[in-house]
């Protein structure tokens, strides 16, 4: 993890597999996200100590464990005021909700209760909607960016946007094959929103800080469009319908994702469903329950 300066003395980020932002204003310091576990947070705290930088606040963009798994350790070591988006806050306080929803509402099997799906519970001191807020010394603006997580908030401070997982770096897009989304339609609306934000640069949750981040945002839009087209064309091959299970398998195989464990497969199943629901919202396909199966069909006359 490298500690990189974005604005001298004021805005930094720890660049790693999951980025962690850091804002400084006089005697206060705010982390943006907390990494996946306590060992990540230990490294963050060590570096801040070496740099003699304060830590008084924590902002969590969304309730995925790679972004909040280190928060409980931080809270055990430091008195940090912790703020998070509404709804995401419920999951942060009761992290079993993630394996629970991925497992379709059934009590999750023990193997699903791992650190990638379920972090240690986090105390939340303040819940935020989108808007303008004064958090200690920090005048921040929060921006609702759903689609990857139900109520994800980006944070805009002093001209720099911390975008959470609303877009991915180009390298990460290719690596993921099928990016994790809960609603591709909303994710694409969030990407269009990002392009319209006036700021000097942005940091994604996975990727690098860029002034010209709008090119990367556009690459995300193009990528999702490509996946939507692929799913639509695949469904057109079978006018009588393709089951949800079948299209999940076809898409995972085509994009060569690794899903040999139940937890990974459940994440991809959710992502595939996000593309299907987007096609439904765009009236490009139809759906029905047929012979006790969830089936998707191309529009008539295609
Ligand atoms: Zn995420």
């Amino acid at each position: 993890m490298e500690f990189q300066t974005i604005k001298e003395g004021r805005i930094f980020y720890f660049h790693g597999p999951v980025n962690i932002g850091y804002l400084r204003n006089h005697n206060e310091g705010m982390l943006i996200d907390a990494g996946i576990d306590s060992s990540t947070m230990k490294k963050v705290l060590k570096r801040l100590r070496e740099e003699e930088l304060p830590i008084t606040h924590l902002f969590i963009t969304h309730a995925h464990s790679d972004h909040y798994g280190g928060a409980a350790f931080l809270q055990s070591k430091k008195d940090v005021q912790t703020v998070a988006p509404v709804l995401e806050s419920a999951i942060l306080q009761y992290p079993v909700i993630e394996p629970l929803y991925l497992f379709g509402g059934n009590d999750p099997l023990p193997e699903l209760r791992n650190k990638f799906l379920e972090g240690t519970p986090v105390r939340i001191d303040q819940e935020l909607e989108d808007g303008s807020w004064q958090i200690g010394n920090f005048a921040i603006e929060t921006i609702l960016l759903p689609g990857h997580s139900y109520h994800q908030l980006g944070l805009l401070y002093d001209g720099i946007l911390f975008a959470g997982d609303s877009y991915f770096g180009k390298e990460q897009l290719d690596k993921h094959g099928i990016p994790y989304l809960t609603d591709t339609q909303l994710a694409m609306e969030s990407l269009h929103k990002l392009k319209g934000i006036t700021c000097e640069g942005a940091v994604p949750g996975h990727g690098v800080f860029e002034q010209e981040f709008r090119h990367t945002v556009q690459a995300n839009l193009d990528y999702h469009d490509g996946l939507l087209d692929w799913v639509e064309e695949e469904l057109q091959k079978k006018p009588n319908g393709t089951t949800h299970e079948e299209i999940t398998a076809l898409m995972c195989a085509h994009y060569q994702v690794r899903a040999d464990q139940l937890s990974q497969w459940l994440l991809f199943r959710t992502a595939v469903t996000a593309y299907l629901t987007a096609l439904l919202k765009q009236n490009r396909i139809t759906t029905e329950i047929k012979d006790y199966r969830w089936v998707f069909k191309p529009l008539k006359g295609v």
Side-chain angles (χ1 to χ4, degrees):
M1 244 186 348
E2 287 169 70
F3 190 52
Q4 299 192 346
T5 300
I6 296 173
K7 283 195 177 183
E8 197 61 46
R10 288 180 290 165
I11 305 183
F12 311 81
Y13 79 115
F14 291 88
H15 176 47
V18 187
N19 295 324
I20 299 174
Y22 178 75
L23 313 176
R24 198 256 169 103
N25 191 324
H26 296 95
N27 58 343
E28 294 186 351
M30 180 186 288
L31 283 175
I32 300 160
D33 288 334
I36 192 164
D37 56 18
S38 47
S39 87
T40 306
M41 185 48 65
K42 271 178 201 160
K43 289 177 198 151
V44 167
L45 291 177
K46 182 167 178 273
R47 187 62 194 263
L48 292 177
R49 200 164 48 238
E50 286 165 2
E51 302 277 339
E52 297 184 351
L53 289 167
I55 161 137
T56 52
H57 293 79
L58 169 65
F59 177 93
I60 299 173
T61 57
H62 66 294
H64 288 165
S65 62
D66 54 337
H67 292 254
Y68 77 82
F73 179 79
L74 171 64
Q75 291 183 336
S76 75
K77 296 289 172 194
K78 297 272 178 186
D79 182 19
V80 282
Q81 194 195 340
T82 305
V83 293
V86 295
L87 202 129
E88 301 290 332
S89 150
I91 303 167
L92 292 164
Q93 294 175 81
Y94 298 96
V96 72
I97 293 173
E98 179 169 348
L100 181 63
Y101 66 62
L102 285 170
F103 203 40
N106 286 107
D107 288 20
L109 289 171
E111 67 179 282
L112 298 177
R113 305 198 62 181
N114 60 55
K115 77 168 180 181
F116 300 101
L117 298 188
E118 181 180 349
T120 311
V122 186
R123 185 196 76 245
I124 303 300
D125 300 309
Q126 188 179 354
E127 295 183 341
L128 302 182
E129 296 270 8
D130 57 337
S132 300
W133 311 89
Q134 187 71 38
I135 308 290
N137 290 340
F138 303 97
I140 63 167
E141 200 180 313
T142 52
I143 298 149
L144 182 61
L145 297 167
H148 167 79
S149 183
Y150 200 75
H151 212 285
Q152 172 170 256
L153 289 177
L155 183 153
L156 183 60
Y157 177 75
D158 197 6
I160 302 298
L161 176 69
F162 288 85
D165 288 351
S166 58
Y167 72 97
F168 299 103
K170 285 179 189 155
E171 219 177 283
Q172 283 73 23
L173 268 183
D174 291 329
K175 201 182 89 185
H176 288 173
I178 308 171
Y180 180 81
L181 296 178
T182 55
D183 186 314
T184 302
Q185 180 73 20
L186 282 178
M188 292 178 81
E189 287 169 17
S190 291
L191 289 165
H192 284 293
K193 196 190 230 182
L194 285 174
K195 285 171 75 180
I197 292 172
T198 307
C199 64
E200 298 158 44
V203 186
H206 310 270
V208 293
F209 167 73
E210 289 178 299
Q211 289 178 319
E212 303 297 326
F213 71 100
R214 287 176 188 84
H215 296 301
T216 307
V217 171
Q218 184 58 47
N220 278 251
L221 280 165
D222 296 343
Y223 195 86
H224 298 320
D225 268 330
L227 265 61
L228 285 170
D229 289 346
W230 185 87
V231 176
E232 187 181 32
E233 281 165 27
E234 203 58 32
L235 294 179
Q236 283 167 358
K237 291 178 186 169
K238 281 192 171 185
N240 291 331
T242 306
T243 65
H244 185 268
E245 191 172 27
E246 222 177 328
I247 192 68
T248 301
L250 288 167
M251 195 173 181
C252 286
H254 182 79
Y255 289 94
Q256 298 180 318
V257 301
R258 241 195 94 207
D260 42 14
Q261 287 172 17
L262 179 61
S263 57
Q264 295 165 323
W265 183 81
L266 289 170
L267 289 165
F268 284 115
R269 185 180 66 165
T270 300
V272 171
T273 309
Y275 287 93
L276 289 166
T277 56
L279 290 172
L280 284 171
K281 286 183 178 183
Q282 294 171 12
N283 295 315
R284 291 162 67 177
I285 60 170
T286 62
T287 184
E288 64 183 18
I289 300 297
K290 193 179 172 191
D291 300 331
Y292 307 105
R293 291 180 178 92
W294 191 14
V295 170
F296 296 86
K297 287 183 178 178
L299 281 184
K300 282 190 186 72
V302 177

